[in-house]
Structure formats: C-alpha cells, structure tokens
Amino acid sequence: MALIHFKNLRLLEPSVGETRGGYELLVEHDRVRECGPAPIVCSGAQVFDCGGCTLMPGLIDCHVHVVHSEVNIRYLEAMPLTLLAARAAARLRAMLDRGFTTVRDTGGCDWGLKLGVEQGHLVGPRLLIAGQSIGPTGGHADGRRRTDTTGGCSCCSGLQFKSVIADGVDQARWAAREQMRQGADHVKIMMSGGVASPYDPLDSLQFSDGEVGAVVEEARAFGRYVCAHAYSAEAITRAVRLGVRSIEHGNLIDDAAAALMAQKGAYLVANLVAYQAMHERAAALGMSPESLEKNAIVLAAGLKSLEICARHGVPVAYGSDLLGELHWDQSREFMLRQEVMRPVDIIRSATTIAARLLRLEGQVGTLAPGAFADLILVDGDPLRDLSLLGGQGRHLAIIMRAGRFHKQSLH
C-alpha cells in the first residue's frame, strides 16, 4: 500500500487556529495515518520535503452549480446535455485546481457526473449532489418564459435538467423522493425569489408550510437533509421553523431569524462573491436588467448578514454560487469576507464548519489521523495573507484528494 511522508512543514489545522512548525504527516492509501510534531518513522514511504510551507486541509465549497455554465440561465435551453456535461468537466477540474477538494452542488448536478469523478473518468473534487432543485410554479426553480405553457422534457436541454416544478404537498413529496432515488445527498428547495430568475420578487414566499414539511419529512426518512434558497427573513424563518438544515444566501436576514437559526442548529451558506461578480460582469454575459436590479439589493446586504449571524452564533459555511464564466472568482470569497471576519474564521468556514454541515466531520476539513488525505500545500501562511488561497491555485505547490496527487510541483 502506497505511503507518502510529508516533512519540514508548518501545519494549519483549522480547529487549532494557528500554524505550527516542525510537523510531519503520513498518508496511507486515501487517509491520513499519522500527523504530529514528532518525527515519523516509516520505511518504504515516498518522502516530500515541504520547505517550511503551510500544509492544510483541502478547501470545501458548500454552494456550487457544476452545470450552470451560463450567467443567463435562459441560455441553457439551447444547450444539449452532451455540451452541458463537457462544460461541467472543465468547471470541476478548475475547482480542484484552486484547492477545493470537496464541493456541494445545490441544484443541477446528477449522479452520472458524481460517479464520473468517483470512477476517475472526470477530474474534480469530491461531489455531493442535490439533483434537481425543487420549487413551485412561477418561482426561482421555474425557468420557463411567460409564453411557455408546458414544463418541457428533461432529456432535451440543460435548462429543463437543472430544476423541477412541484405544486402542493403531494408533488413536493414526490419530487423530493425522486431526487433521492436519483442519488441526492441533500434536497434543495426554493423558499424565496431569486436574482437569476427575472419574474419572481426577492421577497416572494415560495412553498407553503405543508410543502416544506413534506420535503423535510421525506429527507429525514431517507437519512438526508434539506437546504433552502432564501433571502428574506420571513422565508428564512419559515424554512428553519419547519426543519430545513441550511439556508443558502440569506442576505436579507434579521436578528430574529438569526436567533431562530442558532436555536435550531441551522447553518448559513453565504456567497458574497456571486453578487460582486454579477455586479461587475454579468451584464456583459447576458444577465437581464431585472436580475441586475435584484442583485444590487442583495449585494448591499451581504456583509451585514455575516455580522448578524456572528452576533447570534450562527455557523456560516463557505459558498460561491457562481454562474457561467464568473466561476473563476470562486476563491475571491475569502477576500470579501475579511472585511467583517477574521482570517481563521473564514478558513474554518471552508473546512471545519463546512464539514459539519455536510455531515463529514472528521473525514474532510481536517488533517487529523483517519481523515481523507485531502490537502493543499500553500507557499506562505494563509492566516496572514488570504490571497494565497486565490490566483487559480498558483500559490499551491501540492493539491491532493483522497491520497492522490492532482498537483505536485515541489523540486
């Protein structure tokens, strides 16, 4: 069995919150076998001298859309699924290039792409999938034009493939069961209006108590959980009251909603970078004026939402939610958050907090013995300079996922 021995490194274990020199780490197969300040004695291992660089867990992004390769979602209607998959492959590789070794797709990615990565046909991070996101007629999951009268066929275009419409308790229950039948690790529902959907107001409420309750009940019965797209405090409150585990976005949260999240043990997955990138470049990539107007509203509230959550002790995981060619900004979220968060807390959002949300605590987001050997070697200390986690991975000498090198540039 292959053994890989890393020496002369500074260890950044996020739960500790500081870099510590003089550590060594031993990888056996796909796991960390040993890690500590004492010399590791192991014959037959491949040895790498890390030159005093910082070794830390691979990064986790809890809100990506692998198949959303257009900023204007409407354009997916003209895209065959073969091209959709080809573009997804490029996006997956780029995520791993940046040091993201685990990602959670929150709508669109299917079990075929997940298996493609697991079986080695595609290069990318570990994938957790929701299948199709679920929403009511006229809501954020409804990609139809106003002139469309039918739902279309899921085998014909990328647009129909990304989401499903469900109205009423029975349809919501069926849609949740269907996603889990198709291998979903979590179920994604729409609770409020969205930026990329031009027809629904941001403060619209989408899905009734009964519909949400049915989805949550089915997810729990199957050993899964529900994440909810929600911006307004009212939508957040409804979702969390009914058992939703994570709120995606949450820009318009208030103190009462945050207090309820803390009480219920819910997570927020923030993605400030999505709104900043759309503000800067989405118009040129086809986003409608209606969507850009809504984007301005949530962009202005992003940092405040993090402050409110910090005040109430709501755990905030890392997310990017970047559409189309905006995906290159995935690592920029680290820099945007530091206006209101400490670097160590931002790194924890992409490691330990993210791992807890994904129910993979002790498996990812850590370099403790027994964890997956997902790791990156950083040329410097990211606690002092978060920009080292940017630059499309140029500051990463090593990227390893499950004990396999994706990148190794040590000399």
Side-chain angles (χ1 to χ4, degrees):
M1 187 172 290
L3 295 170
I4 301 173
H5 185 182
F6 296 102
K7 303 175 64 174
N8 188 22
L9 59 91
R10 295 185 60 82
L11 183 74
L12 174 51
E13 176 59 47
S15 61
V16 174
E18 63 181 9
T19 55
R20 295 180 171 180
Y23 272 64
E24 298 187 6
L25 183 142
L26 183 66
V27 171
E28 183 175 23
H29 190 43
D30 63 344
R31 302 276 177 165
V32 176
R33 190 173 99 174
E34 189 174 347
C35 181
I40 294 174
V41 179
C42 180
S43 61
Q46 186 177 10
V47 179
F48 291 90
D49 186 326
C50 296
C53 293
T54 301
L55 194 71
M56 63 178 287
L59 304 171
I60 305 169
D61 190 331
C62 292
H63 193 121
V64 304
H65 291 290
V66 170
V67 303
H68 289 21
S69 57
E70 291 286 351
V71 170
N72 187 330
I73 300 298
R74 178 89 262 152
Y75 295 168
L76 294 178
E77 184 181 38
M79 188 179 299
L81 297 186
T82 46
L83 179 56
L84 195 80
R87 287 185 169 189
R91 292 166 72 87
L92 285 166
R93 179 183 283 272
M95 291 179 193
L96 190 55
D97 287 343
R98 300 180 196 115
F100 289 91
T101 52
T102 299
V103 299
R104 181 181 70 153
D105 189 276
T106 54
C109 189
D110 77 333
W111 62 277
L113 288 172
K114 179 176 179 176
L115 283 179
V117 173
E118 291 179 357
Q119 295 177 2
H121 304 299
L122 298 173
V123 176
R126 181 178 295 101
L127 262 174
L128 292 94
I129 63 169
Q132 293 173 299
S133 56
I134 308 169
T137 294
H140 190 50
D142 191 342
R144 296 174 297 167
R145 302 183 190 89
R146 282 181 168 148
T147 52
D148 292 338
T149 58
T150 62
C153 170
S154 63
C155 65
C156 299
S157 77
L159 180 62
Q160 297 298 331
F161 195 68
K162 76 174 185 64
S163 57
V164 62
I165 298 172
D167 293 313
V169 171
D170 289 344
Q171 286 188 13
R173 190 182 301 277
W174 169 84
R177 287 174 173 173
E178 179 63 17
Q179 303 321 306
M180 292 183 288
R181 184 185 79 83
Q182 293 284 345
D185 300 292
H186 48 277
V187 178
K188 166 76 173 295
I189 62 173
M190 304 305 188
M191 293 296 299
S192 77
V195 170
S197 47
Y199 305 137
D200 53 342
L202 282 174
D203 58 357
S204 62
L205 288 174
Q206 301 177 12
F207 271 155
S208 65
D209 281 22
E211 291 166 325
V212 177
V215 173
V216 170
E217 180 183 11
E218 293 302 325
R220 286 177 174 168
F222 210 78
R224 304 293 187 264
Y225 68 90
V226 178
C227 63
H229 164 104
Y231 282 113
S232 69
E234 189 175 6
I236 294 167
T237 298
R238 177 180 289 183
V240 173
R241 174 171 55 82
L242 293 166
V244 167
R245 179 174 170 81
S246 77
I247 297 297
E248 312 302 305
H249 318 303
N251 296 53
L252 306 179
I253 195 171
D254 63 14
D255 285 287
L260 180 64
M261 289 184 68
Q263 176 189 337
K264 296 288 190 178
Y267 292 76
L268 179 74
V269 181
N271 29 65
L272 308 187
V273 67
Y275 314 110
Q276 186 64 42
M278 285 191 286
H279 170 71
E280 294 168 353
R281 308 198 302 282
L285 295 168
M287 179 162 277
S288 70
E290 295 88 351
S291 289
L292 290 170
E293 288 177 10
K294 291 193 284 186
N295 185 69
I297 295 171
V298 294
L299 174 62
L303 290 173
K304 182 181 178 182
S305 71
L306 297 184
E307 293 175 320
I308 291 172
C309 286
R311 188 156 61 239
H312 293 277
V314 176
V316 179
Y318 190 99
S320 58
D321 189 30
L322 291 161
L323 308 178
E325 284 302 296
L326 303 178
H327 78 94
W328 301 106
D329 282 1
Q330 184 179 20
S331 304
R332 191 178 171 194
E333 181 81 7
F334 288 106
M335 303 301 294
L336 293 176
R337 290 194 188 189
Q338 67 180 342
E339 290 191 40
V340 295
M341 294 176 66
R342 300 183 304 162
V344 65
D345 293 326
I346 301 171
I347 289 174
R348 285 170 176 157
S349 75
T351 50
T352 53
I353 293 173
R356 291 202 302 271
L357 168 58
L358 302 184
R359 297 176 171 174
L360 292 175
E361 188 173 11
Q363 303 295 304
V364 298
T366 179
L367 293 179
F372 282 111
D374 294 356
L375 54 87
I376 57 176
L377 185 68
V378 187
D379 186 15
D381 186 351
L383 289 179
R384 296 179 179 273
D385 183 4
L386 281 171
S387 70
L388 294 172
L389 299 179
Q392 308 304 318
R394 71 169 58 99
H395 305 293
L396 308 180
I398 286 175
I399 301 170
M400 172 179 280
R401 186 179 78 82
R404 293 180 177 272
F405 285 110
H406 173 66
K407 178 181 180 181
Q408 198 291 98
S409 60
L410 291 177
H411 299 293

